[in-house]
Amino acid sequence: MTNEELKNNITQVFSAVTFDETGEFLNVIIPSEELLPFMKVLRSTKEFNFDYLFCLTCVDWKDHLMMVYFLNSKTHNHTIVVKAKITDTINPQIESVYDIWKTAELNEDEVFDLFGVKFLNHPNLRRIFLEEDWVGYPLRKNYVDEHMIEL
Amino acid sequence: MGVKDKLEFPGQIHETPDGGFMVTQLDAVINWARSNSVWPLAFGTSCCAIEMMHTVNAKYDWSRFGFEVMRATPRQADLIIVSGTIVMKMAPVLKRLYDQMPEPKYVIAMGACTISGGPFFYNTYSVVKGIDHIIPVDVFVPGCPPRPEALLHSMIALQEKIKNDAYFRKQVDKK
């Protein structure tokens, strides 16, 4: 499917989404509470069949966090970017997509480690790079520690 | 003074009809042997390690200067070339490797990251800002990464340092 077709088909299923078509891929911005049902549709609907989660990351925009999921379909060879806004930066949480794509387990561990996003229903959420007793989340814009020399 | 002069035996050889004898200092002859048989540890953490591998291989071939084979265990190595960024998590490992090396041992800090943290000096949570926070360094090589010639230069500088070492005298003084 082309970006245009993807957009039309998604609008038919979910009305609460907004689109951003400035980049190479179609960007779909969805409220974080609707993420899981939306992702399930993308994975299980035959026309979409997004069977490959090739990147999962997070962006700190200071007043909110944005989860970013890059999905690809190996059968249809189309790609989409799903973004979910998390407004609570003090205690950010979102549903895990581990049940849909197993690869999300380690990606979500990484986002938890560096951004502090808590993934609900994740099988084993833990610090994956940093030590267990590390304080804070280094990729947050407001992160500081005693080793850091700020420019 | 060229490379050839440095490789020459330190002492005076006196020819006699039935052979000969030589006059030298024990430290000079031991250091001459040690400096021409330095065994580096196979240790590399990032892009500087790629330059180091070039220096090992045929084009630059550090064996020509007496550095011989790289050792895969610190227990057989007497030189560690810290080539690449050392992060907080790697720091205890580096310290342990250094501690496991037998005396006398030498350290070359290769590249900007090992000297000061280099490009990762500001706004980083993970990089050690200079390996001299962890282990003592004999020779620093600037560059990002340094060229193989620069590394060779640093290693020849290290040989000079070894040659001027009073290692044997120190051992006698201890007893």
Side-chain angles (χ1 to χ4, degrees):
Chain A
M1 267 189 253
T2 62
N3 285 355
E4 199 58 38
E5 288 168 331
L6 279 172
K7 188 180 165 187
N8 291 336
N9 286 350
I10 287 168
T11 329
Q12 283 169 20
V13 190
F14 274 81
S15 52
V17 296
T18 47
F19 296 96
D20 172 13
E21 291 171 89
T22 47
E24 180 190 353
F25 304 130
L26 179 66
N27 282 238
V28 185
I29 297 121
I30 186 146
S32 61
E33 58 273 13
E34 282 189 53
L35 178 82
L36 204 57
F38 180 66
M39 289 301 216
K40 276 182 177 151
V41 168
L42 290 186
R43 176 68 186 89
S44 55
T45 312
K46 218 178 161 192
E47 298 81 62
F48 293 132
N49 193 28
F50 284 105
D51 51 3
Y52 179 30
L53 172 71
F54 69 90
C55 180
L56 188 162
T57 188
C58 184
V59 182
D60 185 357
W61 292 99
K62 289 188 181 173
D63 58 334
H64 68 275
L65 294 166
M66 187 75 100
M67 285 299 303
V68 187
Y69 303 83
F70 283 73
L71 304 174
N72 174 262
S73 167
K74 281 178 280 179
T75 50
H76 300 304
N77 196 22
H78 52 210
T79 305
I80 196 173
V81 182
V82 179
K83 293 182 178 177
K85 188 173 168 181
I86 307 174
T87 42
D88 184 3
T89 53
I90 311 292
N91 185 24
Q93 47 184 319
I94 197 165
E95 282 289 333
S96 169
V97 294
Y98 168 76
D99 289 336
I100 310 170
W101 298 280
K102 292 279 176 284
T103 185
E105 183 185 352
L106 295 177
N107 289 323
E108 288 178 344
D109 277 341
E110 185 180 339
V111 170
F112 168 71
D113 196 358
L114 302 174
F115 288 94
V117 177
K118 202 172 168 200
F119 291 91
L120 308 170
N121 301 317
H122 186 282
N124 180 20
L125 200 62
R126 69 211 150 98
R127 291 244 187 223
I128 189 171
F129 291 132
L130 306 174
E131 288 89 353
E132 288 292 317
D133 55 351
W134 194 282
V135 180
Y137 303 103
L139 290 193
R140 289 282 197 95
K141 295 285 181 198
N142 59 5
Y143 177 85
V144 276
D145 66 27
E146 71 268 27
H147 307 293
M148 220 155 135
I149 299 165
E150 283 186 82
L151 188 62
Chain B
M1 202 162 89
V3 171
K4 191 174 166 287
D5 299 323
K6 290 183 183 175
L7 294 175
E8 267 172 16
F9 185 78
Q12 292 171 325
I13 297 168
H14 299 272
E15 305 263 355
T16 54
D18 53 346
F21 63 92
M22 64 192 187
V23 183
T24 183
Q25 288 173 300
L26 210 42
D27 256 335
V29 72
I30 287 173
N31 289 340
W32 172 76
R34 285 195 313 125
S35 68
N36 287 307
S37 174
V38 181
W39 286 8
L41 178 67
F43 176 80
T45 42
S46 50
C47 31
C48 278
I50 304 291
E51 291 303 291
M52 183 178 66
M53 288 173 230
H54 286 199
T55 319
V56 182
N57 286 316
K59 185 162 180 179
Y60 293 95
D61 188 16
W62 71 24
S63 293
R64 292 181 299 153
F65 304 95
F67 289 95
E68 295 307 330
V69 286
M70 283 180 127
R71 295 281 107 183
T73 162
R75 296 182 196 285
Q76 296 174 357
D78 49 11
L79 167 64
I80 179 167
I81 300 169
V82 184
S83 50
T85 321
I86 297 297
V87 293
M88 303 285 186
K89 219 173 173 181
M90 194 67 194
V93 181
L94 176 63
K95 177 77 168 71
R96 194 188 179 96
L97 284 171
Y98 179 77
D99 288 344
Q100 285 177 335
M101 283 160 60
E103 293 273 2
K105 52 192 170 186
Y106 302 93
V107 179
I108 290 179
M110 180 183 181
C113 293
T114 55
I115 296 172
S116 66
F120 309 107
F121 185 76
Y122 291 112
N123 298 329
T124 180
Y125 62 97
S126 57
V127 176
V128 177
K129 288 157 192 81
I131 58 155
D132 47 352
H133 289 294
I134 310 163
I135 54 176
V137 178
D138 293 285
V139 186
F140 290 94
V141 201
C144 186
R147 285 203 44 95
E149 291 92 333
L151 180 61
L152 280 175
H153 181 261
S154 78
M155 296 173 91
I156 290 165
L158 179 69
Q159 283 185 325
E160 284 299 303
K161 184 169 180 169
I162 296 174
K163 278 178 185 154
N164 292 317
D165 201 353
Y167 182 67
F168 186 74
R169 264 205 310 281
K170 268 191 267 176
Q171 298 303 305
V172 174
D173 290 345
K174 272 185 201 167
K175 286 166 189 165

